Amino acid sequence: AQSVTQPDIHITVSEGASLELRCNYSYGATPYLFWYVQSPGQGLQLLLKYFSGDTLVQGIKGFEAEFKRSQSSFNLRKPSVHWSDAAEYFCAVGGEGGADGLTFGKGTHLIIQP
Amino acid sequence: EPEVTQTPSHQVTQMGQEVILRCVPISNHLYFYWYRQILGQKVEFLVSFYNNEISEKSEIFDDQFSVERPDGSNFTLKIRSTKLEDSAMYFCASSGTGRGAQHFGDGTRLSIL
């Protein structure tokens, strides 16, 4: 069965500093990978997705993620965080079926220090 | 930008009562999903729906749950006899293609008393 691990429950970063959120997945075939962000009281907003091709994918709000098959990882990065980036970040993997549900990690809570 | 809308935003129901959560997916999307998030826990998949039938369901989606697309725009989740442990945030999502990016609504917070 597929699974997603986000090893960091909380991360604190100073405003303007760089960010990397870790995600490891377990999946038998070529994974479909996603990063979502959730602000308090809000739904899940898609930041970026990886289906195939270039392993470095660009998303919205200046985020990018790199797929590394050898490490089963799909880490999210941003070169310079803004206070508005404070939120919960979820990594998710999609299955092989046409309408498979996503399997989510437990999330990483990002705190931005002034 | 098109979005998934969910109503109500908050639903309070007595244990044992039936509840219907409503969703309007993005208009040209063909795949529909329900997820739930118990407070402090991760988002969990419940069910997917395509071509007017369930495509996949998780272990959580037992006989108490049902889904329906009653018309061309709405997608509903019904819980027949609610339990305390059904208290959670329920998210609807839709995608244009199978394995496509899923777009989520803002959720319905269900509180069972």
Side-chain angles (χ1 to χ4, degrees), chain A residues 24-106:
Chain A
N24 293 96
Y25 67 89
S26 173
Y27 187 68
T30 301
Y32 283 35
L33 294 159
F34 307 84
W35 274 99
Y36 286 86
V37 60
Q38 184 182 33
S39 297
Q42 303 280 315
L44 298 162
Q45 182 182 24
L46 179 67
L47 286 176
L48 47 78
K49 58 185 183 289
Y50 171 77
F51 287 169
S52 65
D54 193 348
T55 56
L56 184 64
V57 293
Q58 303 296 320
I60 62 171
K61 304 185 179 187
F63 286 93
E64 67 177 27
E66 186 171 11
F67 170 61
K68 293 186 177 180
R69 184 187 299 275
S70 62
Q71 298 177 20
S72 297
S73 70
F74 188 57
N75 294 349
L76 182 71
R77 301 194 294 248
K78 187 170 184 178
S80 176
V81 297
H82 186 262
W83 65 266
S84 60
D85 293 324
E88 193 84 14
Y89 290 79
F90 293 95
C91 181
V93 64
E96 287 189 295
D100 281 3
L102 301 180
T103 298
F104 283 84
K106 292 185 176 180

Side-chain angles (χ1 to χ4, degrees), chain A residues 32 36 43 95 98-102, chain B residues 35 37 45 48 56 98-99 102 106:
Chain A
Y32 283 35
Y36 286 86
D100 281 3
L102 301 180
Chain B
Y35 293 81
Q37 184 181 30
F45 168 71
S48 61
E56 186 194 7
R99 307 193 78 182
Q102 296 180 22
D106 284 343

